[in-house]
Amino acid sequence: MPDINDLFNRFPDYDVFTGKTTPPKKRRVRRTQPVPAPQPMPQRSPTDYGDDYGKYKEKKRTRGNYMTVFFFPLALVWMEFFMKLATRVEQNFVSAIYTFLFLMPIACVLTLLCTFGSEKLNRILCNVFTFLLTALFEFQLIYFGKYSALFTISGSKSGSISFGDIGASISQNALCFIALLIPFLFSITVGRFVFTFRKIRIPAKISLVLVAVLFQILAITAVSFSRNNKSPISSYKLYNTTFNAAPSQERFGLLTTEYLDIKNSLS
């Protein structure tokens, strides 16, 4: 659009010394570079910020959350296996199924308790729970080494356990004693790199509760299949009516036996 300067430039130039006028010089029109049209922004995922790290970090974080749910099931199955090996009980497919079904609700509840706080607090809770479980299994192993029986509230043998008894029990089952320590040692060393125990959302917490209920129903249903069995140590009688620590530990595992021992002592 022409401005006021362009208007004056169209008039002839007047020379005051000579009294003559000269026609105006034609000004060279300056060409402007065309402005390129704006390019549309590339579509990126909500987790990709264009720095080649967004997607990777999100996938790694999600994978870590999924790995968390496997820690307690693996740790409990590991400890139950070596506890049965130390107590020299028969390990067969049926007892393995019973033990696994009854362990899963416990594992889900422990995992759920380790997902309410920050990652640091959840890791501390995980280490505390793993330590308590390890202490329980190690104590029962030492007690079994002296009395050849599990400690029960209702039928425990009187007498104290000396340091000599502890040493003798450990030497008898040195492999199992060390193996029972591995989940706790793993948790306090490199466990945080594999099992993160971050705070999870409400739907994930509800899923853990539903999985725990599902496995508990499956375990009780499996026990009910032996309801008509006349054997005094059938799975149904061991779980519901007659408490016997040795066959119960062989059939259901140590943690379920501890629960049945508490239930029997209260009733």
Side-chain angles (χ1 to χ4, degrees):
M1 180 177 181
D3 56 7
I4 191 65
N5 293 324
D6 295 333
L7 181 62
F8 281 108
N9 288 333
R10 294 177 181 177
F11 291 101
D13 295 333
Y14 178 75
D15 190 349
V16 295
F17 297 101
T18 61
K20 297 181 179 180
T21 59
T22 59
K25 298 180 179 180
K26 294 184 179 180
R27 300 185 63 183
R28 189 175 181 180
V29 180
R30 182 180 297 177
R31 297 182 179 180
T32 58
Q33 295 293 334
V35 179
Q39 297 294 328
M41 294 295 293
Q43 296 295 326
R44 297 191 180 101
S45 64
T47 60
D48 188 3
Y49 302 102
D51 55 0
D52 297 330
Y53 288 96
K55 290 183 178 180
Y56 172 75
K57 289 185 177 181
E58 184 67 21
K59 290 180 180 178
K60 184 176 180 181
R61 185 180 182 91
T62 304
R63 184 169 61 250
N65 290 340
Y66 281 119
M67 287 296 297
T68 297
V69 301
F70 293 104
F71 175 75
F72 280 111
L74 292 175
L76 293 179
V77 169
W78 176 275
M79 288 190 279
E80 288 284 5
F81 172 79
F82 282 98
M83 189 65 198
K84 289 186 178 183
L85 189 65
T87 54
R88 304 171 186 86
V89 299
E90 181 183 359
Q91 301 197 52
N92 51 48
F93 179 75
V94 176
S95 64
I97 292 297
Y98 278 128
T99 303
F100 177 77
L101 291 178
F102 280 109
L103 283 180
M104 284 303 297
I106 302 173
C108 289
V109 171
L110 292 176
T111 304
L112 177 65
L113 294 176
C114 296
T115 57
F116 284 94
S118 62
E119 183 175 347
K120 183 177 181 180
L121 176 60
N122 292 337
R123 286 298 314 168
I124 293 175
L125 289 176
C126 172
N127 294 334
V128 170
F129 291 146
T130 309
F131 172 77
L132 294 176
L133 289 170
T134 304
L136 173 63
F137 277 84
E138 297 285 17
F139 169 75
Q140 288 286 15
L141 186 145
I142 294 172
Y143 189 88
F144 184 87
K146 180 177 182 179
Y147 295 108
S148 298
L150 295 175
F151 174 83
T152 57
I153 298 175
S154 57
S156 60
K157 298 181 181 297
S158 59
S160 59
I161 300 178
S162 63
F163 286 103
D165 298 328
I166 296 175
S169 300
I170 294 175
S171 62
Q172 291 175 8
N173 298 290
L175 174 63
C176 296
F177 185 86
I178 296 173
L180 290 174
L181 291 172
I182 289 179
F184 175 67
L185 295 178
F186 179 86
S187 178
I188 63 177
T189 53
V190 298
R192 62 190 180 91
F193 300 109
V194 183
F195 307 101
T196 54
F197 283 97
R198 297 187 181 95
K199 186 177 182 180
I200 61 176
R201 298 179 179 179
I202 297 299
K205 291 181 172 64
I206 296 175
S207 299
L208 283 173
V209 174
L210 293 178
V211 171
V213 173
L214 175 63
F215 273 98
Q216 186 66 25
I217 293 174
L218 290 175
I220 296 175
T221 303
V223 168
S224 300
F225 286 150
S226 62
R227 185 169 187 171
N228 297 325
N229 193 331
K230 302 300 182 182
S231 174
I233 56 172
S234 66
S235 299
Y236 181 82
K237 291 180 181 178
L238 285 174
Y239 191 81
N240 293 284
T241 58
T242 305
F243 174 71
N244 193 330
S248 176
Q249 188 252 343
E250 176 183 349
R251 195 78 49 84
F252 307 127
L254 179 63
L255 292 183
T256 305
T257 301
E258 296 290 342
Y259 160 73
L260 295 176
D261 179 30
I262 296 173
K263 185 178 75 171
N264 179 66
S265 62
L266 294 177
S267 60

